[in-house]
Amino acid sequence: MKIIIIGAGQVGATLAENLASEDNDITVIDMDVNRLRELQDRLDIQTVEGNGAHPDVLDRAGCNDADMLIAVSNQDETNMIACQVAHTLFKTPTKIGRVRSSVYAQYPALFNDQAIPMDVRISPEKEVTKHLSRLIRYPGALQVMEFANGKVQLVVVKAEKGGPLIDQPISYLKEHMPSIMTRIAAIYRDGKSISPDGNTQIRANDEVFFLTAQRDVLDVMSELRPLDTPYRRIIIAGGGNIGERLAQSLEKEYRVKIIERDPERCRYLSETLNNTIVLNGDASKQELLLEENIESTDVFCALTNNDEANIMSSMLAKVLGVRTVMTIINNPAYVDIVQEGMIDIAISPQQTTISSLLSYIRRGDVVNVHSMRKGAAEALEAVAHGDYRSSKVVGRSIASLNLPDGATIGAIVREDSMFVATGDLIIQAEDHVIIFVTNKKQIPAVEQLFQVGLTFF
């Protein structure tokens, strides 16, 4: 695909890196020539210096024959105008824009072909908030991803001693929990992928990816590690967009406090939030954390825009006795370093945002994509269309499919029912098929498998 990206910030740069590695024709527009030069030095992409909302700049970038425009600059208005210009002057088929302000979300009528023609609105803040909320609802999980409108969850946990399945073959799970439908889709051991079968033994410290229905997540987790007690007390460091959204999503069920340095922002938060305690102060100050009983707090979320401040306040909170630390890290180079230390979960807003974009870039009817392990692996939800003649999957058993190496079908959702993938399960038209791909290079082969032939039309 020919894709134009507006904005060479952290989201735009990470997006360019992911898409360029898949042989897409990528052009990045930004006003900062140094950012563009750095990107061009390490990626096989084109760059254009200028304002992405200006028609002449879009023209120079080749918008007249682009398949997609992705506007992810830091300015909502620039992104919206860029989509408007691309639609009006260049008839760009797909326009995706980043809209950070929650004010615009209150007026959905703005976004249509007669007003602001933005086909898809993305909000990194919203995506990160959903990601954090799911982690807080499932203590001990490293990542929780939803498929089929929440009917199925893909959960990542680190196996620990004390879990009944440790040092047992995976087939033991079915014997031990016969009424629960679950499938272990992948295992990472010492950083390397293992394709599991019934005889594979799970060891302590394995990173285990399993699929199950939402209601059964905690039951399956309890087989892989001792269950943590539910979280109750949450402290959020940083009252920006993400901190505000997270407090709103949690305050009805949890005891939430926000620590924010800016007095004006504190005043706004105290008027906006209904059941959250707002504290004016610095989350890296030991005295403040001790006053707020950090040692009896379940989760400390560091959500400011400053990586170093997030890391230092998180480490301090951990030393002072908080159970779990979740930290936003914008610099990808920091993520692996900090997760080896005191920080339990490091969250990359860029990778979280990319997952929400990939479903619009994947070929075939792919309705959901989750990027994992820094983009090296993906879980996809693809809809099977056509019939036996026009489709490579419909009317066929899973065992007979020509799946590429590293690709595993984990489950099928048919209407409101979930079916764990077995070799003799037949895929029907309109089934939602959940595929786990450990080698990203095999994505095109998976996409091709779910594309229908011309006879279908």
Side-chain angles (χ1 to χ4, degrees), residues 76 99-108 110-111 121 245 268:
D76 289 350
V99 181
R100 301 177 69 186
S101 173
S102 57
V103 174
Y104 289 116
Q106 298 171 26
Y107 301 92
L110 271 175
F111 300 95
R121 282 176 287 144
R245 284 176 183 267
Y268 165 79

Side-chain angles (χ1 to χ4, degrees), residues 326-345:
M326 300 181 188
T327 309
I328 282 184
I329 306 289
N330 287 291
N331 187 338
Y334 289 174
V335 174
D336 288 338
I337 298 170
V338 299
Q339 274 194 296
E340 294 299 319
M342 294 181 176
I343 293 172
D344 300 295
I345 299 174

Side-chain angles (χ1 to χ4, degrees), residues 413-424:
V413 178
R414 186 173 297 154
E415 295 179 348
D416 290 329
S417 300
M418 170 191 162
F419 299 88
V420 170
T422 56
D424 57 356

Side-chain angles (χ1 to χ4, degrees), residues 17 40 49 53 61 136 162 165 189 265 300 316 364 412 446:
E17 187 173 353
Q40 204 162 20
E49 182 188 355
I136 288 170
L165 203 58
R189 183 173 296 158
R265 183 68 181 174
F300 180 87
L316 177 62
I412 287 174
V446 174

Side-chain angles (χ1 to χ4, degrees), residues 179-215:
S179 63
I180 290 179
M181 300 186 76
T182 186
R183 169 74 185 266
I184 292 179
I187 297 172
Y188 282 84
R189 183 173 296 158
D190 300 323
K192 295 179 180 176
S193 169
I194 296 173
S195 296
D197 58 30
N199 297 316
T200 305
Q201 288 195 344
I202 293 177
R203 297 178 187 166
N205 296 318
D206 281 356
E207 201 172 299
V208 182
F209 293 68
F210 69 84
L211 282 158
T212 193
Q214 186 178 29
R215 63 181 178 275

